Amino acid sequence: MQNWKRQIPTIMTAQELLDRAYSRASRAEVNGAAPFDHVKKTNIAKITGIGDMTTTTLLKYVRAFPKMEREDEFYSQLIDVIIGHDKLKRALANISWCAEKCSDLQRKYLLRVRKAPSIDEVAKATREFYGRFSSVVKRVDADLLFCQKARDMLRQLPAIDTAVQTIVIAGYPNVGKSQLVERVSSAKPAIAPYPFTTKGVVIGHMKSGWRTYQVIDTPGLLDRELEKRNAIELQAVLALRYLADVIVFIIDPSETCGYTIDRQLALLESIRSNFPDIPFIEVENKADLEGKPTGRPRISALTGEGVDELMKNVESVLRSQRVTDLDKLPT
Ligand SMILES: Nc1nc2c(ncn2[C@@H]2O[C@H](COP(=O)(O)OP(=O)(O)O)[C@@H](O)[C@H]2O)c(=O)[nH]1
Ligand SMILES: [Mg+2]
């Protein structure tokens, strides 16, 4: 999915499109044998240039946007929440319509200019072409603006590889999520933007044998009760269900994170009930500190204690999911 993010060009406004096409056309000059021939050929060149340039640009815009049917569910849901599939579809359909209309006008007026019996008639037809062409392009001005905004919003999407098995870390702030991602990652984790979060998601890669997994810390997403979100934010959070192959929920029994164990367990239930199909692995972090044990496996993301065992457990869940997926293949 990453390619289209960079491919979408700046979307010009209707006026900019027209200015560009007209100014290019104003320089068109085709020599003819006689004045009449000269004017006719020059105007044919103008109409051809204006029509070609505008339709090509409009169609380039339409093709540059991702086709929802081809996106995987994760990006599809994020695009829906930040832009709206229906709105985007409508804007692109209108721009397509405009391109077709421009091409129709070009064809029609080229014919008229060719058949025009006098310089006056050539000039009249050309003027009429300019007028009608401008008004057709201006009709999609709002759609062009919408697409330009959409283009900017698409840049906020995280660069996450949806084809790699992914471990999503959840739990209240300061329980040690980032510390764990850092500890298990083979390189320094990257920070990627994510809609409705200011901090972005932290993406690490964990190597195991010749396999690589993604490990993601999601500040602002899975670190507070989902019930408190508005619908649109919630949709952005729930997109994670298409990404997460397993959720590791971290509890900090030392409560040095600033949340009581009870509150942490309430968050666990809140998240669990919103991600019913994803396997959960629950751990206690900060085993190096004093705390009331809750009976879950203990790790210390700081010292590394218990982390290997946790990751073995995580891998076995991921492995079982691959087998399940294979079982689902048609035979
Ligand atoms: N003592 C101790 N401190 C930890 C451990 N894991 C994380 N921390 C500390 O807890 C604080 C919050 O950790 P961080 O990973 O940023 O938490 P996050 O907000 O869940 O990502 C940091 O100061 C960490 O150094 C641990 O296992 N033991
Ligand atoms: Mg963090």
Side-chain angles (χ1 to χ4, degrees):
M1 90 97 218
Q2 283 321 305
N3 300 335
W4 53 254
K5 265 179 82 173
R6 277 178 217 100
Q7 275 167 6
I8 302 176
T10 306
I11 312 285
M12 287 189 267
T13 64
Q15 196 58 57
E16 286 167 345
L17 278 168
L18 291 169
D19 286 349
R20 191 186 59 154
Y22 292 172
S23 90
R24 182 85 63 91
S26 71
R27 295 193 293 269
E29 195 77 56
V30 182
N31 290 325
F36 175 52
D37 198 28
H38 177 83
V39 171
K40 189 178 264 197
K41 280 183 172 160
T42 298
N43 282 294
I44 285 174
K46 286 185 201 292
I47 294 172
T48 305
I50 290 169
D52 284 358
M53 184 179 237
T54 311
T55 39
T56 308
T57 306
L58 292 174
L59 291 176
K60 188 174 73 185
Y61 293 166
V62 173
R63 276 194 298 265
F65 278 87
K67 301 282 166 287
M68 288 318 134
E69 310 79 60
R70 280 195 237 141
E71 286 308 311
D72 61 54
E73 301 252 37
F74 174 66
Y75 280 108
S76 175
Q77 179 151 356
L78 283 189
I79 292 169
D80 195 23
V81 72
I82 60 170
I83 298 169
H85 287 170
D86 294 344
K87 284 193 208 155
L88 182 59
K89 238 185 179 153
R90 216 173 311 130
L92 294 174
N94 290 344
I95 294 172
S96 272
W97 165 88
C98 180
E100 211 169 291
K101 207 75 191 151
C102 286
S103 162
D104 286 350
L105 286 173
Q106 182 197 40
R107 211 173 310 121
K108 190 172 160 194
Y109 281 89
L110 280 176
L111 204 65
R112 273 186 55 180
V113 169
R114 273 197 199 102
K115 287 187 177 161
S118 63
I119 287 186
D120 271 1
E121 285 299 316
V122 168
K124 196 176 153 219
T126 306
R127 256 197 323 274
E128 207 177 301
F129 169 78
Y130 272 77
R132 292 189 63 187
F133 197 85
S134 297
S135 84
V136 160
V137 174
K138 282 179 186 159
R139 278 180 64 179
V140 294
D141 195 38
D143 301 298
L144 292 165
L145 284 174
F146 179 85
C147 287
Q148 173 60 15
K149 265 202 258 156
R151 170 189 184 267
D152 290 341
M153 288 197 274
L154 287 172
R155 287 162 173 254
Q156 289 177 32
L157 290 181
I160 296 179
D161 189 347
T162 52
V164 173
Q165 281 197 300
T166 302
I167 304 148
V168 169
I169 317 286
Y172 266 118
N174 297 316
V175 297
K177 300 184 297 297
S178 299
Q179 186 92 41
L180 181 65
V181 171
E182 212 165 293
R183 175 158 288 278
V184 300
S185 296
S186 48
K188 195 173 159 49
I191 298 183
Y194 197 95
F196 307 108
T197 58
T198 49
K199 292 173 190 157
V201 295
V202 182
I203 307 170
H205 291 94
M206 180 178 103
K207 289 211 171 77
S208 173
W210 41 267
R211 278 213 163 81
T212 300
Y213 303 106
Q214 255 170 170
V215 198
I216 299 187
D217 172 24
T218 57
L221 298 173
L222 294 180
D223 60 2
R224 59 190 177 102
E225 280 96 338
L226 296 173
E227 289 71 19
K228 292 180 183 154
R229 318 250 167 182
N230 69 39
I232 232 169
E233 279 179 310
L234 187 61
Q235 199 186 339
V237 177
L238 293 183
L240 292 170
R241 69 166 60 133
Y242 301 114
L243 186 67
D245 292 287
V246 59
I247 294 178
V248 172
F249 189 91
I250 300 186
I251 291 166
D252 172 5
S254 77
E255 297 182 344
T256 52
C257 62
Y259 301 88
T260 63
I261 293 181
D262 281 350
R263 273 194 78 185
Q264 296 184 58
L265 293 177
L267 176 63
L268 169 61
E269 279 325 304
S270 164
I271 293 177
R272 200 198 258 292
S273 61
N274 279 284
F275 291 85
D277 303 325
I278 316 282
F280 269 68
I281 292 177
E282 302 163 23
V283 281
E284 287 179 10
N285 189 32
K286 307 192 187 174
D288 55 299
L289 300 180
E290 290 286 315
K292 291 168 253 158
T294 68
R296 293 169 175 81
R298 287 155 61 83
I299 63 162
S300 169
L302 194 66
T303 67
E305 176 191 341
V307 172
D308 284 350
E309 288 82 349
L310 167 66
M311 285 311 170
K312 276 203 192 99
N313 191 5
V314 165
E315 266 203 86
S316 91
V317 170
L318 294 175
R319 200 160 38 237
S320 72
Q321 285 193 320
R322 288 198 295 270
V323 173
T324 319
D325 286 345
L326 278 179
D327 285 345
K328 284 186 206 144
L329 286 176
T331 47

